[in-house]
Amino acid sequence: MKTIQLTLGALTFLALAGCTHPITLGEDTGASLRLAIENQTYDADAARNLRAVTGLDGVAAGTVMNQYRKSFEKGEGETGGVIVTTKVGGGR
């Protein structure tokens, strides 16, 4: 029984492998990914900058983050967002 299952599995694999065709990639393969990464990079040389970062201290940053997290908590009667309705088309 095991031999029959292995034989049928091998034949199925060979039959399905025969239905595929080789994939030919053009010379611009990956160009969209490279372009997206380039467009989303704010400062490519930031890793070489060893100066100290200035801005919020730890306490102030913690307060800001706590307020940010609390802004997602819903109280009673609050919707948690803005409801916008639009009318599409020429209906009355």
Side-chain angles (χ1 to χ4, degrees):
M1 180 68 177
K2 194 144 189 133
T3 306
I4 293 173
Q5 289 177 341
L6 288 173
T7 304
L8 287 175
L11 288 175
T12 302
F13 175 76
L14 291 173
L16 291 176
C19 295
T20 62
H21 56 85
I23 298 173
T24 309
L25 301 176
E27 58 189 56
D28 64 341
T29 301
S32 62
L33 176 62
R34 284 190 298 276
L35 183 61
I37 291 172
E38 182 179 324
N39 287 335
Q40 293 176 17
T41 302
Y42 180 73
D43 184 6
D45 295 327
R48 294 188 196 104
N49 182 1
L50 300 178
R51 287 182 282 133
V53 177
T54 59
L56 291 178
D57 63 351
V59 175
T63 303
V64 170
M65 287 306 301
N66 288 334
Q67 290 175 351
Y68 174 74
R69 290 182 186 114
K70 285 180 184 175
S71 72
F72 291 100
E73 297 174 2
K74 290 185 184 178
E76 287 189 37
E78 294 181 21
T79 60
V82 177
I83 299 174
V84 178
T85 58
T86 59
K87 188 182 227 182
V88 178
R92 296 178 191 206

